[in-house]
Amino acid sequence: MAAYWDRRFFESTRGRLVTLLRRASRTVDELAADLGMTGNGVRAHLATLERDGLVRQGGSVRRSGGGGGKPAHIYELTPEARDLFPKGYEAVLGGLLDVLTEGVGDEGSKALLREAGIRMAGELGLPLGSVQERLQAAVGVLNRFGGLAELEEHDGAFVIRGYGCPLTAVVVEHPQVCDLVEALIAELTGMRVCECCERGEIPRCRFEVRSADADAQR
């Protein structure tokens, strides 16, 4: 499994398939459309990924357009596939957060983590440019940390949405780590950021930039 964790793998067709399935389960037709491939080409790569225990069929759905054809299979990543993405930090970080919270309490740990996020931003270097350019730079930082984040804009308001939280292993028990990321993004962009992350079975990042703040800095 460890051999898969290589930048070249994620630049390959199979790596791109894994990245798409990390975002959401998909049918062969949907994957083919996203990749600009034929259905048979996608099936060949999926067969290899299934053989390696990285992808599985997660049910089926009726094809659009009606008709009596067979339902289309939905493909998803296996739990083992999540080992493709770096998370060796989890035991150490979880233990440190336990000790930190016991020592200074929830609010104290949040304050310290926010300070850590600010310092991290300073070490990375503050990006220049427009609102979009600074936010895209922040998205790039999250992705270098192992996330899968994208910048969205709706009616002048910006959202950084993550489809794979790089802190999955600890965020459910220690949600204050999201404060670190919020402070990191705010410091990198010079904007007011609001953390609205989902912390369900599969945590997903969501950081909103208020439209008023965005407009003021255009």
Side-chain angles (χ1 to χ4, degrees):
M1 183 73 71
Y4 272 95
W5 178 238
D6 183 281
R7 182 176 297 274
R8 289 173 296 179
F9 168 70
F10 286 100
E11 292 173 351
S12 70
T13 299
R14 289 174 196 163
R16 291 165 65 198
L17 277 168
V18 167
T19 299
L20 286 169
L21 292 174
R22 188 185 186 194
R23 186 192 306 276
S25 301
R26 282 171 163 80
T27 65
V28 168
D29 288 345
E30 290 169 340
L31 290 167
D34 287 333
L35 294 173
M37 296 176 60
T38 65
N40 286 338
V42 168
R43 288 186 185 91
H45 288 295
L46 287 172
T48 299
L49 292 169
E50 282 189 281
R51 181 201 66 195
D52 292 344
L54 301 178
V55 168
R56 66 188 179 190
Q57 292 183 12
S60 61
V61 63
R62 290 194 176 278
R63 299 178 188 273
S64 61
K70 294 182 179 179
H73 292 298
I74 297 174
Y75 288 85
E76 62 185 17
L77 294 186
T78 64
E80 291 78 10
R82 303 197 182 278
D83 291 337
L84 292 171
F85 308 100
K87 60 176 183 178
Y89 65 86
E90 58 188 72
V92 173
L93 181 56
L96 287 172
L97 289 169
D98 286 338
V99 172
L100 179 64
T101 303
E102 291 170 5
V104 300
D106 289 338
E107 292 304 314
S109 66
K110 287 182 180 182
L112 290 172
L113 287 167
R114 293 188 65 83
E115 178 61 28
I118 292 170
R119 292 192 183 188
M120 288 171 62
E123 292 172 359
L124 290 167
L126 304 182
L128 302 176
S130 66
V131 168
Q132 290 92 336
E133 289 170 334
R134 299 198 306 274
L135 286 169
Q136 287 288 7
V139 167
V141 169
L142 296 184
N143 288 337
R144 289 201 299 275
F145 288 164
L148 180 60
E150 294 179 349
L151 178 64
E152 300 177 358
E153 182 178 3
H154 303 285
D155 299 323
F158 295 92
V159 174
I160 294 177
R161 188 187 303 276
Y163 297 94
C165 176
L167 300 169
T168 296
V170 296
V171 73
V172 174
E173 293 189 9
H174 298 282
Q176 64 267 41
V177 298
C178 296
D179 290 274
L180 182 154
V181 182
E182 179 188 85
L184 171 68
I185 296 171
E187 188 71 9
L188 285 173
T189 61
M191 302 173 71
R192 181 168 171 262
V193 179
C194 179
E195 177 266 305
C196 306
C197 299
E198 302 173 15
R199 302 187 186 90
E201 182 178 355
I202 301 178
R204 296 182 184 275
C205 304
R206 179 183 170 89
F207 297 93
E208 297 183 356
V209 180
R210 301 304 187 190
S211 56
D213 299 303
D215 291 339
Q217 302 216 15
R218 283 176 182 260

